[in-house]
Amino acid sequence: MLNGDEAAFRELVTTYRHYLFQTIYAIVRHAKDAEDLSQDVWTRIYFSLPQYQMKGLKTWMTRIAVNRAIDFKRSASRRREEMTAEMEEPIQSSSSHPYSEHGVEHEVMLNETTELVRKKLHQIPANYHEVLTAYYIHHQSYQDIANAHGVTVKTVESKLYRAKQWLRNHWKEEEFL
């Protein structure tokens, strides 16, 4: 297999294809992305076989799959953050001069996006909504939020983390484009 035996590699793919797909899917939680990443992972495995040190093949392949899925999630998260920043910038600049630079079309799109965000905000579970609003809208510190709710800072950090996870799992980037 290490010397380019394609039949052996096909057998490897057949044996572990479903397992690696499930591993990737458990991280990215989106079937299409998991399929794409699986293809990428198998390519990486194929080209990395010469460096494989004959220790725990399944573990080695799983590590490649997990690392690739985590990298994908990080880059998707960065894209979402950049998109949010890009959305906030026009909102802030247009609030002082709503029709001056961008025109009516931009204002209509901005209103539609704002309405979509409002609808989505109502879907967030109440315990997450409170911490997200306090932190991102009212710009309160973790300590201020903890004091206001009578909890520890660690609880606030945990709630904020879970709230972000909930958003990642329930909001699709395509809905905001």
Side-chain angles (χ1 to χ4, degrees):
M1 183 166 43
L2 295 178
N3 59 8
D5 183 355
E6 290 186 28
F9 185 73
R10 270 195 290 277
E11 187 176 323
L12 186 68
V13 171
T14 302
T15 304
Y16 292 105
R17 176 183 26 205
H18 183 70
Y19 168 76
L20 286 182
F21 173 83
Q22 291 295 348
T23 301
I24 294 166
Y25 181 80
I27 296 169
V28 299
R29 293 286 183 205
H30 189 266
K32 179 72 173 113
D33 290 338
E35 288 173 20
D36 292 345
L37 288 170
S38 291
Q39 291 294 321
D40 182 47
V41 165
W42 283 110
T43 302
R44 288 172 188 239
I45 289 171
Y46 183 79
F47 288 111
S48 298
L49 279 172
Q51 289 83 34
Y52 173 61
Q53 298 175 357
M54 301 298 195
K55 298 180 203 165
L57 179 65
K58 186 175 180 180
T59 304
W60 178 74
M61 291 188 314
T62 303
R63 178 56 34 211
I64 291 172
V66 167
N67 286 342
R68 182 62 188 103
I70 290 171
D71 288 347
F72 175 81
K73 287 286 282 193
R74 283 184 186 142
S75 74
S77 177
R78 266 188 245 109
R79 282 193 309 270
R80 260 189 229 106
E81 288 172 10
E82 290 168 1
M83 186 179 78
T84 302
E86 288 171 9
M87 284 174 56
E88 287 174 356
E89 184 180 303
I91 291 171
Q92 291 168 353
S93 66
S94 69
S95 61
S96 57
H97 307 291
Y99 296 104
S100 60
E101 295 176 22
H102 303 293
V104 176
E105 180 180 332
H106 177 75
E107 189 66 23
V108 169
M109 289 176 56
L110 187 60
N111 288 340
E112 288 175 1
T113 302
T114 302
E115 186 57 33
L116 175 63
V117 169
R118 279 194 181 112
K119 284 181 190 175
K120 290 289 190 180
L121 285 174
H122 291 296
Q123 296 173 358
I124 299 173
N127 59 333
Y128 296 159
H129 192 276
E130 291 173 3
V131 73
L132 286 168
T133 303
Y135 187 74
Y136 287 107
I137 299 196
H138 300 296
H139 304 290
Q140 294 179 344
S141 69
Y142 286 3
Q143 186 64 54
D144 292 340
I145 298 168
N147 293 343
H149 291 93
V151 296
T152 65
V153 171
K154 194 71 176 161
T155 301
V156 172
E157 290 173 353
S158 178
K159 277 187 171 186
L160 194 56
Y161 174 79
R162 287 193 304 264
K164 289 185 216 175
Q165 290 298 108
W166 188 93
L167 291 174
R168 285 184 190 108
N169 291 331
H170 291 86
W171 288 14
K172 302 291 185 241
E173 187 175 338
E174 307 84 53
E175 295 172 336
F176 294 96
L177 296 179

